[in-house]
Amino acid sequence: MLRSIVGAFTCENDRKKIRGTVVLVKKNVLDFTDLRSSFLDRIHELVGQGVSLQLVSAVHADPSNGLQGKVGKPAYLKGWITTITPLKAGDSAFKVTFDHDEEIGQPGAFIIRNNHRSEFYLRTLTLEDVPGHGRIHFVCNSWVYPADKYDTDRVFFTNQTYLPSETPGPLRRYRERELVNLRGNGTGELKEWDRVYDYAYYNDLGNPDRDRKYARPVLGGSADYPYPRRGRTGRPPSETDPNTEGRLPLLMSLNIYVPRDERFGHIKMSDFLAYALKALVQFLLPEFEALCDSTPNEFDSFQDVFHLYEGFKVPAGPLLDKIKDNVPLEILKELVRTDGEGFFKFPTPQVIKEDKSAWRTDKEFAREMLAGLNPVVIRRLKEFPPESKLDPKLYGNQNSSITKEHIENHLDGLTINQALEKKRLFILDHHDTLMPYLRRINTTSTKTYASRTVLFLKDDGTLKPLAIELSLPHPDGDKFGAVSKVYTPAEYGVEGSIWQLAKAYAAVNDSGHHQLLSHWLNTHAVIEPFVIATNRQLSVLHPIYKLLHPHFRDTMNINAFARQILINAGGVVESTVYPSKYAMEMSSIVYKNWVFIDQALPADLINRGMAEKDPDAPHGLHLVLDDYPYAVDGLEIWSAIETWVEDYCSFYYKTDEMVQKDSELQSWWKELREEGHGDKKDEPRWPKMQTMKELIDTCTIIIWMASALHAAVNFGQYPYAGFLPNRPTISRRFMPEEGTPEYEELKSNPEKAFLKTITAQLQTLLGISLIEILSRHSSDEVYLGQRDTSEWTLDATPLQAFEKFGRKLADIEKKIIERNGDERFKNRVGPVNMPYTLLYPTSEGGLTGKGIPNSVSI
């Protein structure tokens, strides 16, 4: 108001004006606007402490300001006091009017100062009718805190794209300084308003201050325990161990530091907490019921497990529909569900929805290795018997004890050599990964084996298990090799029950491998260094930043939550997955063999013997097993990503020399190798980033890992493992031996014996509560082929290429539906009548078992 009066006396209003619109979201608490902060911000407005913006020239430098772009006069947001603040958090639009200054010319950036008491989320600034330039749009998508929280001004650039060498001179210093700010100085504890991206070891998993039994080794920075880097928080060390970072109290978990723009948005956070609270209630009610049971903490029968999903339904009706449409909090919507889910009961997992017993069949057991939760481990068997790669000097003879007598009568008339030559033998092999830790793991409450499962490819394209080998370390020491026993299929009597237990032990191995390696290590952990390096070394103006940025959404936040409550000492993973306190340490040992270029889907399939190079075949590969749903769908997604990346990069880079001379790109790749994945910096197979092909391959792999690979191993967790007998995560006792009470129980009550062997009730409830949360899409999810704004770049050719990418993904969706309906492909649906949809690109929110989000966002 005062500024308007002054302007009237100075004839300010007679000058040429540039009018603009700012769209922002006021500070909120979950789905609601923070009304207290909104009120105090109005007070600041009344005393002249508003939000100011200054345009920065892209064409005229200011000699008095180090040849940086000339800065215009401040303009202030209008109507903050008079604009009604909605109760529900959402966008608010404010007008702003700038004086037109010929010396500014074309604006290329703007400076914003928030003189209010509280922060806001700045979405966009749009300038209309800029003389000589028309409409200019700025995509911001960043939290802006009060100006006194920053050492330097906040600067935002237009959505123009520039390689470093092509940046207009007046903007170059702004571009460089912004990257310096984002790197920080490497010291001090970081606060919520800090915008610092920096690296740290995984030294925050242990909690020795609580008890020495919660001490854990530091992962990263050593040859013994290499690991990708995580985001630095700067918290002080623990009191009892200077190498371990102090931990936040559990109730403060949501406040763990990540750069503010990496935190969940208010919709995602509301969804996340709603699902968590719902899961907590579902977890507690059966536990209370179990207190009155004759065998607390045990399921006595499969019917006890089925009871978890059999709640009463909330009746549908217009009143509840109206509540759901108008109540902003996702948590209240969860309490009034009318979609068939039981009230305060777990949703029925897809694997038992159509048939409650089909999961126990050998055919389904084998099918899920190709179209289940962990379809990235099975490999073609190239030698028989299977051989170990463990050092015999340390571990003795670890080769398989499976003989031809175990399997040769079940090869449809083939000899073993003929089956190998015809590429019809396969193996799910967890032996070498687990054996070095098995002796220590079995000192905990876990009692398990290292497993190998050999399978045969039938004429109808399905697999049948031939034998399962269960191995233990030799009681006299590792150098004496393994003590192994081989089990073969049986349907009836105690032999059939023993075979079901053998499959359960193999599934326990596979569940741990899935959760710790396929899921956590190979997507969540390895992607985080790319998030950090990209923000530290690539400007928002850089084409590769614009390409990759959507694929990093929410990753640092979900990983920080994981370190705080899931993968920490005594956390949910150690409580529900068989390696227990050795879980993360084991993942570090496996990371020793991680190679970036092998994460490409074609390379992975070739390395596992599941595909062979064939220039005449689609995607340049011939699948050894045609009906391999993960590989078939995955190769189409991979090819679509690769084509999109090539179209995009080719627009900005015309020659290999342009790649080599891109200073930001080279700094990014150097830092990624030497810092982000610093323990692998001497790995000889890193791309050198000297050619267009290396750039395209690198970006394709990053996008694949963050989107499709994560979707394939994450969103099937509840559909397949929500019924834990299908995917047990722990075994609590060894295989019953004849003559023992456990063997007699197996004969008389096989269901009870099975359930007493696998995950107990408490861990089951905790585990399925967790995976229900992790398997849900938030209501604001952005999927592959989508962007959260259509104006993410001004360049028409990349926009057209992105539209083509979206159309290709839509075509892939149609093909997936067609393949799932084709009865020739028996692995796509299986005995449980559960179509394979984990690589179906789009989805609705919630628990759907399909959809590929852009990023590792949950």
Side-chain angles (χ1 to χ4, degrees), residues 645-654 658 692 795-798:
V645 171
E646 182 174 5
D647 290 346
Y648 181 88
C649 291
S650 299
F651 178 76
Y652 296 102
Y653 298 90
K654 305 301 183 186
M658 292 182 70
M692 284 276 293
D795 297 321
T797 300

Side-chain angles (χ1 to χ4, degrees), residues 757-771:
T757 300
I758 65 168
T759 319
Q761 178 173 296
L762 177 65
Q763 285 80 11
T764 293
L765 295 172
L766 186 58
I768 63 178
S769 296
L770 171 64
I771 63 174

